[in-house]
Amino acid sequence: MSNNDILKKLRVALSLKTEDIITICNLVGFKVTKAELGDIFRNEDHENFKPCGDQILRNFLNGLVIYKRGPKDEKKQ
């Protein structure tokens, strides 16, 4: 299973729109454009298909944690 497949399945399972994915990536300071996401979600045989790199998926998953749980609280000492 490729990173593209994982991202597509998460988008469907969580009912996320492209704007939601952009917002989630921005939570961890990672900038991704609507056009880049469009290329990632295309079929592999399309001329504008772009493989989803590890960096994009990693930042999306880290942002998703913040999106669902909220920001991490600092430990009090």
Side-chain angles (χ1 to χ4, degrees):
M1 182 176 276
S2 71
N3 288 347
N4 293 63
D5 294 334
I6 294 168
L7 195 57
K8 286 178 190 177
K9 290 182 183 295
L10 285 171
R11 179 182 67 164
V12 171
L14 299 172
S15 302
L16 298 173
K17 296 182 175 144
T18 303
E19 292 81 15
D20 298 329
I21 296 173
I22 292 170
T23 302
I24 289 169
C25 288
N26 284 337
L27 290 174
V28 292
F30 185 75
K31 306 293 183 211
V32 63
T33 65
K34 196 172 189 176
E36 287 174 319
L37 288 176
D39 292 344
I40 289 170
F41 292 130
R42 294 185 189 280
N43 288 328
E44 287 185 34
D45 58 347
H46 194 278
E47 65 182 48
N48 291 334
F49 171 78
K50 177 183 172 189
C52 179
D54 293 339
Q55 183 181 18
I56 294 173
L57 184 59
R58 179 180 62 245
N59 283 299
F60 171 74
L61 292 173
N62 287 334
L64 186 61
V65 170
I66 295 170
Y67 184 74
K68 289 294 186 180
R69 292 185 189 169
K72 184 177 180 180
D73 293 333
E74 295 295 324
K75 292 183 179 180
K76 295 181 181 178
Q77 295 181 0

